[in-house]
Structure formats: structure tokens, C-alpha cells
Amino acid sequence: MDHFLYKDGVLHAEDVSVADIAASVGTPFYAYSTATLTRHFQLFEDALSGLDHLICFAMKSNSNQAIIAHMAALGAGMDVVSGGEYLRAKAAGVPGEKIVFSGIGKTEAEMRLALEGGIRQFNVESEPEMERLSRVATSLGVAAPITVRVNPDVDAKTHEKIATGRKEDKFGIPIARAREVYALAASLPGLEVIGIDVHIGSQLTELEPFETAYTKVADLTAQLRADGHEISRLDLGGGLGIPYERSNSAPPLPIEYGEVIKRTVGHLGCEIEIEPGRLISGNAGILVASTIYVKHGEGRDFLILDAAMNDLIRPAMYGAYHDIIPVVEAAPGAEQSPYDIVGPVCESGDTFAKQRNLPPVGEGDLIAFRSAGAYGAVMSSEYNTRPLIPEVLVHGDQFAVIRARPSFDDMINRDTLPEWM
Ligand SMILES: *Cc1c(COP(=O)(O)O)cnc(C)c1O
């Protein structure tokens, strides 16, 4: 459930009319619902109740300062995947001891940043990374707390580009080699082994891959403890999917996911971390656009919007589906007809949906993309010199711009001419 509903025939975000936001900030824009973020975080809190745990919000899904600050106020830790995200978390007031650092390509500069600023743990993904982290930590006179990300060779049954737990994927170390890699970690002076990490992919719509992976992690915990390692923390990653297509999908609920966690690793006496991103932020956001033209093509009608693939790349990049609805609710019984819904960018890939049924749409009409709060604004670009679009946060009957639209001057003046010109 989210807080984007029609009231008096107009789509609202909580108690604010989306049409009013559009009139105030102009289109296109992202709008997020505070109550929805809170609700989704609370679902995970409820799912893990009774376990010693920390929910680390995967900032890569939505890293706006206001979103991070809200999640932190709820008690969330953060999962960061770059030095930039680490600095964003710190800037939003998240203490280092609540930040976990994931990712396969951490640089020396990023390691130093996190070690100096404070870090809960590094989720280490390779032997060379281990050796480098040990060296950097030793040079600073500290020991870096680590988990090793293991790759359990489980097919998450999700989109090719966001599956991460099969043996051919670039992430983690093969679980079969875990014991030798932990032995190496234990021998390195700058590392302090504290646990195990696993993340098998994103937008998982079944629980079985989690169950398989977490069972392997439980077995590994026993083996590593027998080898003399201190395993007191299990980071179980993120990845629980959301219903992008409301009419025909119902992915597992956080409470059911929590039962899998309790059943597979709940008896080990470990502190449990999870790193959800999409499930918290995805359905907490919409993208709102205006219709520039309705173009009658050869056998099909096109809705040409003022939003484009640079604003929301998921359909172009993953063939992703988003529910698309009119901001002004259709009259009851209004006839639907199919449209190809596209942006103005000069690529055929700039298509949000093909032959999507909608009630009649005219020039200037507002359209909303649901489930756009995760991997939306964070993946946007200025391709075609289109300004990054504003982000708006709604809270009850209030709203605020939390990232303003840059001016064209801002964009152009970021470039500089070399001296010789
Ligand atoms: C992307 C990612 C997540 C978050 O995935 P969601 O599907 O958004 O929940 C968590 N942990 C790691 C290591 C990731 O790469």
C-alpha cells in the first residue's frame, strides 16, 4: 500500500494534490511520500522483530538528502556503494557506526574516507580488496571490521542485469572458496572479521532463492566458527521485489521474508542486517509528466511527454514496466485506447510503454508513473541537455522541493574551455 490515491477525481500524494504540485514546480518532477517511506521501513522492522537487527537502507535506490535524513530519523542504517554515497550519508547526519560499505571496486581513497570518518563494516568482495583494505587500515593504525560477501550460486530468477548471486556474476567470492578466503582475512593485520555478507540480486519476486542462499550462509557460519572465526553478524542483502504491475503481481511480503530469515539463520545468535532499497523507496515515489503532443501515427497513437529516458531510464535499460495513470481521474466508464508513451529524446529506446491502454489524453494533460521512487532520480542524467528534474517530498498536507531544477546556465557553466581556445 502507498499513499498515492485519487481524491475528488485528482491524484493525491498523501493530502496534497499532484496537480497543485505540478502547478507550483512545473513538470516533469518526482514526488515522494513520507508516510509511504515510513510504512515500508516499519514493515521490515515488524518482520525482524525479536531478532537483534539493523535495517540499512540501500542508498543507491534513492540518495536525496531529505530521504536519507528521514530514513535515519526512523532508525535506519545505510548501505553505501561509493565514497560519494558515504559522504551523502554523513551529510544527512548518519553516524559512521550505522554505515555499511558494499561494492566490488572500492578504491584506496574510499577506504581511507570510511576508516577516518567511521564505518560499521566493509562488505569485502575479493582477495585483492582484502589485501588493499588491510594495508590502508594498517597505515592508519586501525583494524577494518569486515564481512566477506559470498556468492552462493543461487539464481535469483530476476532480470539478467540485476541478478548478482550466480557463479558467473562479478560479485562476491564463490561460497565454495569461503573457508580459504576467511583464513586469508584472519591472517591480515588490518582486518577484523565479524561476519558474512550475501546479496543475490534485486526485484526478487519469490522467496525460494533467499531461502536457499540463507541456508547456505547458515551452513557456512557453522563451518567458519569451527575454523575459529568470530561470526557475529550476518548481512543478508536487499532485493525483495515490489509490484510494479499492480493488476497482476503480488511479490512476497516483508513479514514472509522475515519468516525465511528467522527460519534459516535466526538460531545462530548473530546480529542480522538487511539492505533493502527498492521495497522502501520504490512505491514511495511517482514521476509526473505533461503531455506535449498527442501524435496520430501509422496505425498507432503516440503520447509525447515532457519526461524522457534521461529522467527515468528503467524502461529503456531493463524493459521495465511502470503503471502509468492520468493525474485527473477518468470519468467512470470512459473508453480506454492504446497509446505508445514516449519521451522527446532522439532515440527509439526513449519509449516508456507500447500500446498501453489509457482513457483519452489531450495536450497538457498530466500523467503519473507509479513505483518510480527507486532507481529513478538517482539514475537520471542530463542527456540532450535536459535539466535534472526536481524532487518533491510530501508530508501530510505539506510539500517541499528537495532538489531544485538547475537552470540552463548552471548546466552550461559547468563546462570550461581549455586555455588554448
Ligand atoms: C542494490 C543493492 C541492494 C539493494 O537492492 P534492492 O533491490 O533495492 O533492495 C542491497 N545491497 C547491495 C549490495 C546492493 O548492491
Side-chain angles (χ1 to χ4, degrees):
M1 201 206 89
D2 59 44
H3 290 77
F4 297 99
L5 297 169
Y6 289 109
K7 290 180 194 168
D8 303 324
V10 179
L11 185 66
H12 278 59
E14 303 188 23
D15 298 326
V16 178
S17 153
V18 169
D20 288 352
I21 304 175
S24 166
V25 307
T27 57
F29 63 90
Y30 281 100
Y32 309 122
S33 152
T34 306
T36 310
L37 291 167
T38 305
R39 179 187 142 75
H40 291 159
F41 179 76
Q42 199 55 50
L43 289 176
F44 280 116
E45 277 293 342
D46 295 347
L48 298 185
S49 72
L51 289 175
D52 182 12
H53 69 271
L54 182 68
I55 299 165
C56 294
F57 176 57
M59 271 178 59
K60 75 176 197 271
S61 72
N62 189 320
S63 59
N64 187 287
Q65 287 288 286
I67 304 293
I68 303 312
H70 177 65
M71 297 310 303
L74 294 174
M78 297 294 148
D79 173 47
V80 307
V81 293
S82 69
E85 283 193 355
Y86 177 84
L87 290 173
R88 274 187 179 273
K90 291 302 284 282
V94 183
E97 58 273 23
K98 286 186 124 177
I99 303 175
V100 306
F101 202 143
S102 299
I104 63 168
K106 301 176 200 81
T107 65
E108 193 161 323
E110 289 174 321
M111 291 169 176
R112 198 175 294 278
L113 187 70
L115 285 168
E116 287 176 342
I119 191 80
R120 180 176 178 80
Q121 96 224 9
F122 291 89
N123 294 331
V124 173
E125 302 221 14
S126 67
E127 287 144 300
E129 181 191 343
M130 243 175 221
E131 305 208 5
R132 180 156 328 161
L133 180 59
S134 176
R135 217 172 340 102
V136 175
T138 307
S139 76
L140 295 173
V142 297
I146 67 153
T147 70
V148 177
R149 177 168 175 181
V150 295
N151 181 330
D153 192 20
V154 170
D155 185 352
K157 298 181 194 149
T158 183
H159 190 279
E160 171 67 24
K161 289 186 182 166
I162 50 176
T164 60
R166 303 162 302 179
K167 63 176 183 298
E168 65 269 31
D169 295 321
K170 68 182 180 181
F171 300 95
I173 57 128
I175 198 162
R177 289 192 48 238
R179 293 174 75 184
E180 89 189 66
V181 173
Y182 272 83
L184 170 66
S187 76
L188 293 170
L191 303 185
E192 183 201 358
V193 173
I194 57 167
I196 305 173
D197 171 47
V198 68
H199 170 75
I200 56 175
S202 199
Q203 186 53 18
L204 271 72
T205 54
E206 291 172 37
L207 289 174
E208 183 223 299
F210 288 118
E211 177 121 25
T212 309
Y214 298 168
T215 302
K216 291 186 179 193
V217 167
D219 293 346
L220 180 62
T221 302
Q223 279 181 355
L224 293 176
R225 282 176 170 169
D227 289 347
H229 301 286
E230 168 85 32
I231 303 295
S232 59
R233 186 179 290 166
L234 300 179
D235 182 334
L236 301 175
L240 194 58
I242 63 171
Y244 280 100
E245 192 168 353
R246 278 151 202 251
S247 53
N248 73 0
S249 69
L253 303 171
I255 194 81
E256 297 166 320
Y257 172 68
E259 281 158 15
V260 170
I261 291 176
K262 287 176 182 173
R263 188 160 65 235
T264 51
V265 300
H267 59 287
L268 296 169
C270 288
E271 181 180 14
I272 302 299
E273 277 169 8
I274 57 171
E275 303 168 342
R278 190 188 309 267
L279 198 134
I280 290 176
S281 58
N283 280 329
I286 57 173
L287 166 65
V288 181
S290 299
T291 307
I292 306 176
Y293 297 113
V294 181
K295 175 173 163 179
H296 302 291
E298 197 73 26
R300 59 180 64 209
D301 291 339
F302 295 94
L303 285 190
I304 303 175
L305 304 183
D306 62 358
M309 63 190 290
N310 67 298
D311 304 309
L312 177 67
I313 205 172
R314 298 187 67 261
M317 187 143 107
Y318 311 118
Y321 179 100
H322 284 267
D323 275 342
I324 298 173
I325 59 173
V327 167
V328 174
E329 196 172 19
E335 192 127 342
Q336 305 230 338
S337 55
Y339 293 98
D340 280 12
I341 302 171
V342 304
V345 165
C346 308
E347 296 200 22
S348 300
D350 186 21
T351 297
F352 292 117
K354 287 195 162 158
Q355 298 297 288
R356 187 70 69 82
N357 280 324
L358 280 178
V361 181
E363 281 183 18
D365 287 356
L366 297 171
I367 294 290
F369 292 73
R370 285 184 169 279
S371 312
Y375 308 105
V378 285
M379 292 181 110
S380 58
S381 76
E382 292 178 342
Y383 187 38
N384 279 210
T385 305
R386 295 169 47 84
L388 292 181
I389 67 177
E391 294 175 276
V392 171
L393 183 62
V394 173
H395 178 49
D397 60 2
Q398 312 174 65
F399 73 92
V401 173
I402 56 172
R403 184 181 73 188
R405 197 189 306 277
S407 71
F408 287 113
D409 279 348
D410 292 341
M411 295 165 68
I412 295 165
N413 291 336
R414 241 185 273 134
D415 299 353
T416 51
L417 295 185
E419 237 168 50
W420 65 81
M421 277 187 182

